[in-house]
Amino acid sequence: MAKEFNVAIAGATGAVGIEMIETLEKRNFPVKNLRLLASERSVGKKLKFKNTEITVEELKADSFKNIDFALFSAGASRSKEFAKSAVGAGAVMIDNSSAFRMDADVPLVVPEVNPEDAFKHKGIIANPNCSTIIMVVAVYPLHKAK
């Protein structure tokens, strides 16, 4: 049996959070348990993942117990606020905000360009701005051809 992972999504009710849920499902990522996290005003909302309704919980410091991967799209301030909690609980934080993009200790990863850098993390992986990702995916083959 393939390994399955416990995944949390911080910012689950936002547009990017919804897309993260849909992408996990579309790509058949091996999710054992999915924890959906958001602000207090979204607590109790139900979102679907693989035909199962999951209740949104409040994003708190203790939200990451037994989580393997914590996907963050809740804004830079929330990423900075909860990074220590997520990493301290043993999760790998994959951050979609600007919080860690310029941090020399955090790999900035675009899977189509530098997937090997994802394995050089110290608990946090960042990704560039969405428009930058699109550009580097298009430009990278030119860089390799030189």
Side-chain angles (χ1 to χ4, degrees), residues 14 21 29 33 83 89 103 112 139:
I21 296 166
F29 187 82
N33 294 297
D103 188 322
E112 297 83 355
V139 173

Side-chain angles (χ1 to χ4, degrees), residues 40-51:
E40 186 179 343
R41 69 178 177 272
S42 294
V43 171
K45 184 174 182 176
K46 295 187 185 303
L47 298 173
K48 281 198 172 187
F49 176 70
K50 294 187 175 183
N51 297 317

Side-chain angles (χ1 to χ4, degrees), residues 20 22 25-26 38 42 46 48 51 56 75 77 105 107 128 135:
M20 288 175 169
E22 291 175 2
E25 185 167 348
K26 279 186 225 170
S42 294
K46 295 187 185 303
K48 281 198 172 187
N51 297 317
V56 175
S77 62
D105 290 329
M135 180 190 67

Side-chain angles (χ1 to χ4, degrees), residues 109-123:
V109 176
V110 176
E112 297 83 355
V113 175
N114 63 335
E116 65 284 349
D117 286 358
F119 298 99
K120 299 174 184 174
H121 69 82
K122 296 175 184 170

Side-chain angles (χ1 to χ4, degrees), residues 4-140:
E4 294 181 309
F5 302 96
N6 295 320
V7 178
I9 299 177
T13 58
V16 176
I18 299 292
E19 188 64 31
M20 288 175 169
I21 296 166
E22 291 175 2
T23 301
L24 288 172
E25 185 167 348
K26 279 186 225 170
R27 295 195 176 184
N28 203 24
F29 187 82
V31 175
K32 183 176 182 180
N33 294 297
L34 182 62
R35 186 172 298 155
L36 303 179
L37 307 168
S39 66
E40 186 179 343
R41 69 178 177 272
S42 294
V43 171
K45 184 174 182 176
K46 295 187 185 303
L47 298 173
K48 281 198 172 187
F49 176 70
K50 294 187 175 183
N51 297 317
T52 301
E53 283 194 336
I54 300 173
T55 303
V56 175
E57 303 171 36
E58 184 176 359
L59 174 58
K60 296 181 184 179
D62 64 354
S63 296
F64 304 100
K65 184 179 180 189
N66 299 319
I67 294 295
D68 299 302
F69 296 106
L71 309 178
F72 269 73
S73 188
S77 62
R78 301 296 265 174
S79 291
K80 288 177 182 176
E81 179 181 356
F82 291 101
K84 192 172 184 178
S85 299
V87 174
V92 174
M93 177 183 185
I94 301 171
D95 188 45
N96 193 47
S97 78
S98 62
F100 302 101
R101 288 181 181 154
M102 300 302 290
D103 188 322
D105 290 329
V106 176
L108 188 64
V109 176
V110 176
E112 297 83 355
V113 175
N114 63 335
E116 65 284 349
D117 286 358
F119 298 99
K120 299 174 184 174
H121 69 82
K122 296 175 184 170
I124 303 172
I125 300 169
N127 66 268
N129 174 282
C130 54
S131 56
T132 302
I133 293 170
I134 294 167
M135 180 190 67
V136 299
V137 168
V139 173
Y140 184 61

